[in-house]
Amino acid sequence: MISDTIHIAIVEDDHEIRQTLQLILDGSNGFACKYAFPDAESAIASIPNLPVDVVLMDIDLPGKSGIDATRELKRNLKSIDFIMLTVQSDDDSIFESLCAGASGYLLKDTNPADLLVHIKEVFNGGSPMSSQIARRIINSFRIIDNPLSDRETEILKLLSQGMNYKDVAETAFLSPHTVKTHIKNIYSKLHVNNRAEAIYKAIKQKLI
Amino acid sequence: MISDTIHIAIVEDDHEIRQTLQLILDGSNGFACKYAFPDAESAIASIPNLPVDVVLMDIDLPGKSGIDATRELKRNLKSIDFIMLTVQSDDDSIFESLCAGASGYLLKDTNPADLLVHIKEVFNGGSPMSSQIARRIINSFRIIDNPLSDRETEILKLLSQGMNYKDVAETAFLSPHTVKTHIKNIYSKLHVNNRAEAIYKAIKQKLI
DNA sequence: AATAAAATACCCCATAAGAGCGATTGATTC
DNA sequence: GAATCAATCGCTCTTATGGGGTATTTTATT
């Protein structure tokens, strides 16, 4: 927001951690940390009116969670970067945080010197995270296993574009009857009974 | 594959880079780099029979690309970790690499000392990448903007589970007529004419 | 107070989809 | 050489879907 110095806010319920972090950050060259909140509600009320660049957000807060707070704040404050700083590293927390708009995800045992580096990285458009957490995210891109044949996958892709039997038949140079048979086999392999669920499952399993 | 020492293979077409890297890696304590290939084809032919833990893979190779090579090798060699080591950092290369099975993605200007650290990280189940690259990946989790109301989103989710008008109506305590109206509005907002395409678009745009 | 969305409900009608059948051909695998 | 699977084509029947309307009430938003 304001040049040179990176302005930070902390949202953390533990009094001890909050004060210590604030002291360290505010005392470091190039950083200012004038604002610290013990809960999501007070952060949501104040941060929109503060000159803040980066918010360090705890996930486990009393009342509203840090993920919800991030979602709400990020909605109207696109330029502020949020770093989740937490003890939790389960997949759900990570993905929810990222979907809510977090730019970084660090564990609380990150040492202060590294934390400063990571805050700078976020400020400069990066997304710091431990390589362990990165791996979890990367694994979400993997295909588990594909029960569909090439032809079936091709047809399912055409269906996902809104085509009906006739359209698919013409595109794939097939009889509509054949298309129908393929689709029935697709449903059977995916254990579904209709197009909507087939497409949903196929995308979630990265088959299309 | 074999304990203590991490066994590395390099796939890189530039003779100079390949030799230099191999020398550095093989000369480092705890690392062995006995295999280096100038192209995808020779790597694909040899690596399945070699005791290798980590492969450093260039993307830009003559003939078959490093991404394709990774995909083919990873299919049968689940336990080998692949690190893409490249000059390209465009979104497509990153995502294709991850989908192909890469565990890390580093730029070629990474210095040797860091490279060693990153190879260790991959070997220990991490996924090293620069925080700039991490940000691109994270951005893929973001919602662009959601034209659907809460009720519409709720109904679309139920549709994606394979429900028909009647099922949705019962689940959401609505008349089937109302469900139909909502669905028509969903189609209109997403600019589609049927369920399949609606679900496809909605997932791609992270609306459901 | 006025306007715009969102949420609710209903009607008609042509067509698309899905379930349940059967069948042939050519690879691949065991 | 048998068995399996992929890919192809066909039929009937019932139900679901989507397009075309209209209309009321509630809930923001201005």
Side-chain angles (χ1 to χ4, degrees):
Chain A
M1 214 147 184
I2 290 155
S3 63
D4 255 50
T5 302
I6 302 176
H7 294 259
I8 304 164
I10 297 171
V11 187
E12 162 67 59
D13 60 324
D14 185 296
H15 179 80
E16 184 75 17
I17 298 178
R18 188 172 69 247
Q19 298 245 309
T20 311
L21 257 180
Q22 192 177 3
L23 270 173
I24 295 172
L25 295 174
D26 200 47
S28 299
N29 225 305
F31 298 87
C33 186
K34 304 298 181 197
Y35 317 103
F37 307 92
D39 55 64
E41 289 78 6
S42 59
I44 290 171
S46 301
I47 290 179
N49 308 307
L50 300 174
V52 165
D53 303 305
V54 176
V55 176
L56 300 184
M57 179 74 75
D58 184 26
I59 287 184
D60 254 329
L61 295 169
K64 194 171 283 195
S65 83
I67 295 177
D68 290 335
T70 300
R71 198 183 344 263
E72 287 184 33
L73 285 166
K74 189 78 187 176
R75 184 154 47 221
N76 298 312
L77 304 168
K78 308 276 187 208
S79 65
I80 297 184
D81 287 312
F82 291 80
I83 298 176
M84 309 312 280
L85 196 61
T86 173
V87 285
Q88 295 170 253
S89 73
D90 59 286
D91 280 11
D92 282 351
S93 297
I94 295 171
F95 287 108
E96 278 185 41
S97 296
L98 298 182
C99 292
S103 294
Y105 196 105
L106 300 171
L107 297 181
K108 279 193 179 170
D109 61 10
T110 307
N111 75 58
D114 285 346
L115 186 55
L116 290 172
V117 171
H118 292 325
I119 290 172
K120 262 193 200 155
E121 284 177 344
V122 162
F123 188 64
N124 292 319
S127 278
M129 63 182 77
S130 80
S131 74
Q132 306 298 322
I133 286 171
R135 173 69 71 110
R136 297 192 192 203
I137 293 170
I138 279 185
N139 280 340
S140 76
F141 287 93
R142 296 274 159 77
I143 297 165
I144 304 122
D145 81 319
N146 190 342
L148 303 182
S149 71
D150 289 350
R151 197 57 154 167
E152 287 162 352
T153 304
E154 180 194 348
I155 288 173
L156 191 51
K157 277 183 190 162
L158 297 176
L159 290 184
S160 75
Q161 288 160 35
M163 290 190 186
N164 59 22
Y165 292 136
K166 197 168 121 284
D167 296 337
V168 173
E170 280 165 17
T171 307
F173 304 107
L174 287 173
S175 148
H177 296 291
T178 307
V179 173
K180 213 163 177 172
T181 305
H182 279 305
I183 293 175
K184 279 187 278 195
N185 290 334
I186 292 169
Y187 293 172
S188 153
K189 285 182 177 181
L190 297 181
H191 309 294
V192 301
N193 319 302
N194 58 61
R195 217 161 274 213
E197 205 179 357
I199 288 169
Y200 183 80
K201 266 209 176 182
I203 298 177
K204 290 301 171 188
Q205 290 174 32
K206 296 170 217 313
L207 308 183
I208 57 171
Chain B
M1 213 147 185
I2 291 154
S3 63
D4 254 50
T5 302
I6 303 177
H7 295 260
I8 304 164
I10 296 171
V11 187
E12 161 67 59
D13 60 323
D14 186 295
H15 179 78
E16 185 75 17
I17 298 178
R18 188 172 69 247
Q19 299 246 309
T20 311
L21 258 180
Q22 192 177 2
L23 270 174
I24 295 172
L25 295 175
D26 200 48
S28 300
N29 224 308
F31 297 87
C33 185
K34 304 297 182 197
Y35 316 105
F37 307 94
D39 55 64
E41 290 77 6
S42 60
I44 291 171
S46 300
I47 291 180
N49 307 308
L50 301 174
V52 164
D53 302 305
V54 176
V55 175
L56 300 184
M57 179 75 74
D58 184 25
I59 287 184
D60 254 329
L61 295 169
K64 193 170 286 196
S65 82
I67 295 177
D68 290 336
T70 301
R71 197 182 346 264
E72 288 184 33
L73 285 165
K74 190 75 187 180
R75 184 153 48 221
N76 298 311
L77 304 167
K78 308 277 187 208
S79 65
I80 296 184
D81 287 312
F82 291 80
I83 297 177
M84 309 312 279
L85 197 60
T86 174
V87 285
Q88 296 170 252
S89 73
D90 59 287
D91 280 12
D92 282 352
S93 297
I94 296 171
F95 287 108
E96 277 185 41
S97 297
L98 298 182
C99 291
S103 294
Y105 196 105
L106 299 171
L107 297 180
K108 278 193 179 171
D109 61 10
T110 306
N111 75 57
D114 285 346
L115 186 56
L116 291 172
V117 170
H118 292 325
I119 291 172
K120 261 193 201 157
E121 284 177 345
V122 161
F123 188 64
N124 292 319
S127 277
M129 63 182 79
S130 80
S131 74
Q132 308 297 323
I133 286 171
R135 173 69 70 111
R136 298 193 190 204
I137 293 170
I138 279 185
N139 280 339
S140 76
F141 287 93
R142 295 273 157 75
I143 297 165
I144 304 122
D145 81 321
N146 190 344
L148 304 182
S149 70
D150 289 350
R151 196 57 153 167
E152 286 162 352
T153 304
E154 180 194 348
I155 288 172
L156 191 52
K157 277 183 190 161
L158 297 177
L159 290 183
S160 75
Q161 288 160 34
M163 291 191 185
N164 59 21
Y165 292 135
K166 196 169 123 283
D167 295 337
V168 173
E170 280 166 17
T171 308
F173 303 108
L174 287 174
S175 145
H177 297 290
T178 307
V179 173
K180 204 166 181 174
T181 306
H182 280 304
I183 293 175
K184 279 190 278 195
N185 290 334
I186 292 170
Y187 293 173
S188 154
K189 286 182 177 180
L190 296 181
H191 308 292
V192 300
N193 318 304
N194 57 61
R195 215 162 276 210
E197 205 179 357
I199 287 170
Y200 183 79
K201 266 209 176 183
I203 298 178
K204 290 301 170 189
Q205 292 174 29
K206 294 169 220 311
L207 307 182
I208 58 172

